[in-house]
Amino acid sequence: MEPITLALAKGRTAKSTIALLEKMNIEFEDFHEDSRKLIFYNNDKSIKLLFVKAVDVPTYVEKGAADLGIVGKDNILEAQADVYEMLDLQIGKCQFVVAGKQKTELGTNQALTIASKYPNITKKHFQKKRQTVETVKLNGSVELAPLIGLADFIVDIVETGTTLKENGLVILEEVEDISTRLIVNKASFATKSAAIQLFIEKLKEALE
């Protein structure tokens, strides 16, 4: 039987996700987070694992290179991929927020510049509020932007809030809760329905 292909995001949630798969008796003996190898098979070769950058997982699944993907909700939202989101794995819980310098307010009648690693999510959030903003795409150290006048505010992921606090920033608005999710390619869901449904059921049991 043709294996189902699972794209797994590298990064902070990979270890927890592999542990969850092991609870389902799905083990990849030669898998190691530090390995340069990118493709792994489980013991009975029923599952092919692609170990890829988190930001690319929605694309692999949307384009059909992978049947399933396990990745953070942040990457799913930013990619705007046309996939089915099937399960919340409750791993890597954090939150998208709007943050800014202390004693500042998010005005609704002024043009704002927002720095973020997630411009699509940022635009969508402010569009819901019927507010036009200019976005500045940054790939890291987003907290710096309001401190040096590059942007008025930032939209970023917050887990503990320590980084914001250490840079004199505060949360001004909560945008969305984030955690690791299981996504499925729409065509695969129809053509490999039995195998995918079985995987989802086992994953649900492992989460209990």
Side-chain angles (χ1 to χ4, degrees), residues 43-168:
N43 294 342
D44 65 5
K45 298 194 184 303
S46 62
I47 296 180
K48 181 165 98 176
L49 177 74
L50 308 180
F51 195 45
V52 298
K53 290 185 74 170
V55 69
D56 292 330
V57 170
T59 302
Y60 277 80
V61 177
E62 181 181 34
K63 300 297 182 186
D67 303 303
L68 308 168
I70 294 180
V71 66
K73 176 83 173 179
D74 51 326
N75 289 297
I76 301 168
L77 290 172
E78 184 62 22
Q80 303 181 79
D82 186 18
V83 296
Y84 291 133
E85 185 182 315
M86 303 300 293
L87 272 181
D88 182 351
L89 275 57
Q90 304 287 326
I91 297 172
K93 288 184 177 180
C94 47
Q95 196 171 44
F96 265 121
V97 302
V98 182
K101 290 190 286 189
Q102 295 180 18
K103 299 180 181 177
T104 57
E105 292 182 2
L106 272 170
T108 55
N109 297 318
Q110 62 187 103
L112 299 177
T113 303
I114 313 291
S116 182
K117 285 184 278 189
Y118 305 92
N120 290 331
I121 293 167
T122 301
K123 284 178 192 169
K124 193 171 180 181
H125 173 67
F126 283 95
Q127 280 171 357
K128 283 182 186 172
K129 300 171 59 175
R130 301 182 184 278
Q131 190 167 7
T132 303
V133 298
E134 178 186 352
T135 58
V136 177
K137 171 79 163 62
L138 294 176
N139 293 307
S141 304
V142 179
E143 297 83 2
L144 190 59
L147 303 181
I148 61 172
L150 181 61
D152 300 303
F153 303 99
I154 64 171
V155 168
D156 204 8
I157 292 175
V158 172
E159 188 171 2
T160 64
T162 302
T163 307
L164 288 181
K165 189 176 179 181
E166 289 184 352
N167 287 286

